[in-house]
Amino acid sequence: MSLDQRSIILAQISAAVACNALAALRLAITEGTNAGLSKTEIQEIISLAKDIQQQPISHVTHLTDQVLREPKKKAHEHSAHCGCGGHHA
């Protein structure tokens, strides 16, 4: 998948806001205006990124841990004594 220049700039603006990276934000906004993004579009993406940024980092950590967690239930290993009949397959 290939992103167009507009999408790349919008992602850069959003990421700069999320990271509070002011130098990167200044550069991305300048690139955006040079590429034809309107002030309204830039303000919308900044507003959206700021709203998302309001989520506490503990929520992000919890979600990441939850998604990447190893399954707690151990996979069943078939043996002659397990009684499930799967070892005959």
Side-chain angles (χ1 to χ4, degrees):
M1 177 177 76
S2 177
L3 295 175
D4 63 292
Q5 189 62 27
R6 175 186 168 90
S7 297
I8 291 170
I9 293 170
L10 291 173
Q12 289 172 332
I13 291 171
S14 181
V17 170
C19 296
N20 203 26
L22 300 182
L25 179 59
R26 178 184 298 275
L27 179 62
I29 290 173
T30 301
E31 286 182 20
T33 56
N34 291 340
L37 293 174
S38 71
K39 290 180 181 181
T40 303
E41 290 172 309
I42 292 171
Q43 289 170 335
E44 282 181 36
I45 195 66
I46 289 173
S47 178
L48 178 61
K50 285 169 56 178
D51 288 345
I52 293 169
Q53 187 185 36
Q54 296 300 315
Q55 296 298 317
I57 194 68
S58 62
H59 292 178
V60 172
T61 303
H62 176 73
L63 177 63
T64 303
D65 290 345
Q66 184 181 25
V67 171
L68 298 177
R69 183 180 305 135
E70 293 289 328
K72 288 185 177 184
K73 187 175 181 181
K74 194 173 182 183
H76 177 76
E77 293 183 25
H78 299 291
S79 71
H81 305 291
C82 69
C84 74
H87 60 281
H88 291 282

